[in-house]
Amino acid sequence: MIRLFITLPFVLGLIILAACNQGSTPMTWLELKWDSSPGVLALVTGAVFYALGYVCAWIGTLGQIRRARKAEQQVRTLEAETATLRASLAANSAMAATATPPSAYAAAPIAPAQPQITQAPTPTIPAPPHDENRT
């Protein structure tokens, strides 16, 4: 949309220039000589450089497209890996549930004792006395 606001006034200006300058004039460039109107030359030049800019922008997006495809492939690979891990986890939990029934006399696991860390009290700084006659 922003490109339209930039391109549209430029193209309209070139079209107006081509409409106002319809007279044929001799033109030269190095050893080339031809007769053309300045407006047509401006339109052709604008079209060539617009196409050149479009091609440059397209080449710039090719790298982004390649990175996006690689990222999509990596997502598919990771989703497949996640699905296989979930399936193996479900199979292992089902196997563990059928292999060892819970015992009524099983002791609960005991957590290791953590050392108690105490902090020293932070010193407090008394506020200065409040004088009402301060200037």
Side-chain angles (χ1 to χ4, degrees):
M1 187 69 171
I2 292 175
R3 281 186 260 167
L4 182 65
F5 289 128
I6 294 170
T7 306
L8 191 62
F10 180 72
V11 171
L12 286 175
L14 284 178
I15 291 171
I16 291 170
L17 178 76
C20 292
N21 296 311
Q22 292 182 357
S24 180
T25 58
M27 296 190 186
T28 60
W29 185 68
L30 298 176
E31 293 293 321
L32 298 173
K33 295 179 183 181
W34 70 93
D35 286 335
S36 176
S37 71
V40 171
L41 180 66
L43 280 177
V44 170
T45 305
V48 166
F49 281 104
Y50 184 80
L52 193 70
Y54 181 80
V55 168
C56 289
W58 180 70
I59 289 172
T61 58
L62 286 178
Q64 293 176 353
I65 291 170
R66 187 179 66 241
R67 284 190 298 270
R69 285 183 182 162
K70 282 183 182 179
E72 287 174 359
Q73 180 61 35
Q74 187 177 12
V75 166
R76 283 189 215 106
T77 304
L78 290 174
E79 285 175 347
E81 186 179 335
T82 304
T84 57
L85 288 174
R86 285 183 180 167
S88 67
L89 181 63
N92 287 342
S93 65
M95 186 185 306
T98 58
T100 56
S103 173
Y105 300 106
I110 299 173
Q114 296 289 330
Q116 294 290 338
I117 299 173
T118 59
Q119 287 185 329
T122 58
T124 58
I125 300 172
H130 182 57
D131 290 338
E132 298 210 11
N133 295 333
R134 255 190 196 173
T135 56

